[in-house]
Amino acid sequence: MMRRGIAELPLHGGHVPRWLALRMKRLADLVIKLLVDEYGTQGVLERLADPVWFQALNNLIGMDWDSSGSTTVTAGMVKDVLSKEDLGIKAAGGKGTKSRKTPEELKQISEIYGLDADEYIKTSKLVAKVDTVALQTGYQLYHHVFFVDQDGRWTIVQQGMNPSIKLARRYHWFSEKIESFTLEPHKGISGIKSDYSLNTIAKESKEYQKTLLDIISESPTKIEREVKSIEALSKGYTPLFYKPYEKREVLPIVERYQSFGRFELNKKALELARELSVSNYDELLLIKGLGPSTLRALSLVLELVYDVHPSWKDPVTHPPDPFKFAYAVGGKDKVPFPIERSTYDDLISFLEKLLEKGKEEREVVKQVTKISEKWKFPEEEKRAT
């Protein structure tokens, strides 16, 4: 069974030396080929969508077990492998400027596989909006990779950074497990739980989303007046008209929203949403210009004027730790031990020979792997890198 998760990792500096990068790429290539042969393209996508499995792959190829770079390097290695091999899966996007090339690359992939590029481009934009606007935890997205297979299934792995605490958070999505893009859609969430987050995609958010769509049909100027009145009330000014909350109750609520940033209502975006008569939360999130600050302002109005609340729970669980996979070849920064090139090369040679064998011959290897299933690493060797 796949775990649910969002992985949080500290920011690391430095780079992967060329001798290691070449080996990482070769090992990732062999792992992906074996997975496709054993489980098909869907099996590969399902594993990439599991944050624990993804982190285990990172550890296996020798990246630091706790680095934010595990996402960018591992996803980059896999993308490069898929671009050079005809395995029935391709990838678009990447880190920073590469993420902005996602639409263009999705068009190329769709042409190869005979898919509808527009649908994938829309999905890419919506998923990014969900993890920056609909779910706010203080992280800014800077990495977005979209994996697509020949049958149209997909997995998205994206990551955000919180500069103030120097932590990264990774979000995993899988097409085959999504019932709604805006109601607990993630395939994986794991890591450190925050005290609270502005979560408008929790299961209990149906009433919130419905009411939000209702107030969007009102004049943006009226909504703006409500926001300004609430801000004035929180500063101690006496309102000229009735509000359902007293000053002492308003201030902590406003401060909680402000902990994620300022309130900047984009009236043009709201006017566009009103003109288009958006009928669901997905459509609203895709409105150009509707960003985190606008949603915070709208949520504040919903909570203090209409008494309709978003969820404040951070959707994080604590899955099994894949640190033991770092014992395969070691870690780039010498945790749990320095990488030995000869050992790495022996592993690559073994997997190359294994790839040449039939599935029946591989069954013997599967039996051998059971020896390490219950092995537990010495906790004192799990050090921060």
Side-chain angles (χ1 to χ4, degrees), residues 300-315:
L300 185 66
V301 171
L302 256 67
E303 183 159 353
L304 292 177
V305 177
Y306 296 89
D307 200 20
V308 176
H309 308 257
S311 170
W312 288 102
K313 71 176 183 180
D314 191 357

Side-chain angles (χ1 to χ4, degrees), residues 4 96 116 162 169 177 186 375:
R4 295 175 59 81
D116 182 356
N162 187 325
R169 172 173 287 196
K177 294 295 181 180
H186 296 94
W375 175 75

Side-chain angles (χ1 to χ4, degrees), residues 124-350:
S124 173
K125 291 179 179 178
L126 180 55
V127 167
K129 271 296 193 79
V130 168
D131 287 339
T132 54
V133 179
L135 176 61
Q136 298 186 34
T137 51
Y139 293 80
Q140 301 293 323
L141 284 187
Y142 69 96
H143 176 272
H144 176 95
V145 175
F146 199 129
F147 300 94
V148 187
D149 78 356
Q150 58 197 1
D151 296 317
R153 293 177 291 254
W154 54 265
T155 282
I156 293 176
V157 178
Q158 54 187 15
Q159 182 160 285
M161 178 62 69
N162 187 325
S164 63
I165 57 177
K166 295 184 178 180
L167 280 179
R169 172 173 287 196
R170 192 168 64 232
Y171 307 81
H172 292 250
W173 297 66
F174 183 43
S175 61
E176 305 308 289
K177 294 295 181 180
I178 292 180
E179 295 181 5
S180 166
F181 279 90
T182 50
L183 284 175
E184 300 199 354
H186 296 94
K187 178 63 177 70
I189 298 176
S190 67
I192 303 168
K193 189 182 289 290
S194 300
D195 291 336
Y196 59 85
S197 66
L198 176 54
N199 183 354
T200 69
I201 56 171
K203 280 187 177 179
E204 58 268 29
S205 298
K206 290 182 179 180
E207 183 185 359
Y208 165 92
Q209 293 181 12
K210 180 180 180 300
T211 309
L212 180 60
L213 292 173
D214 289 340
I215 70 165
I216 290 299
S217 63
E218 298 179 357
S219 166
T221 301
K222 179 184 176 183
I223 299 173
E224 184 180 46
R225 284 200 301 267
E226 298 280 13
V227 174
K228 289 182 177 179
S229 295
I230 292 169
E231 288 183 307
L233 188 62
S234 70
K235 294 175 182 177
Y237 295 101
T238 303
L240 298 177
F241 49 91
Y242 170 75
K243 288 292 177 185
Y245 289 80
E246 297 294 337
K247 174 192 169 186
R248 66 179 184 277
E249 295 172 316
V250 170
L251 184 57
I253 293 173
V254 170
E255 288 178 339
R256 174 174 284 193
Y257 279 100
Q258 287 178 331
S259 68
F260 294 113
R262 295 176 295 176
F263 304 119
E264 294 181 0
L265 204 66
N266 189 326
K267 293 170 66 176
K268 288 184 179 179
L270 296 181
E271 193 60 55
L272 179 58
R274 188 184 184 193
E275 290 175 5
L276 294 175
S277 300
V278 294
S279 59
N280 57 60
Y281 198 24
D282 297 31
E283 292 178 2
L284 178 61
L285 289 173
L286 286 170
I287 293 293
K288 185 177 180 180
L290 195 142
S293 59
T294 295
L295 189 77
R296 285 194 293 272
L298 292 171
S299 298
L300 185 66
V301 171
L302 256 67
E303 183 159 353
L304 292 177
V305 177
Y306 296 89
D307 200 20
V308 176
H309 308 257
S311 170
W312 288 102
K313 71 176 183 180
D314 191 357
V316 174
T317 59
H318 298 77
D321 192 325
F323 180 67
K324 76 174 187 178
F325 290 92
Y327 286 84
V329 298
K332 177 174 71 68
D333 282 355
K334 303 179 181 181
V335 176
F337 52 81
I339 294 174
E340 295 180 358
R341 302 189 195 195
S342 59
T343 302
Y344 210 131
D345 292 339
D346 287 342
L347 175 59
I348 289 174
S349 178
F350 174 79

Side-chain angles (χ1 to χ4, degrees), residues 71-98:
T71 304
T72 57
V73 172
T74 303
M77 294 286 181
V78 174
K79 180 186 177 183
D80 190 62
V81 166
L82 297 177
S83 69
K84 296 176 180 177
E85 302 283 356
D86 186 16
L87 300 175
I89 311 177
K90 298 292 181 184
K95 177 183 176 181
T97 56
K98 291 181 180 178

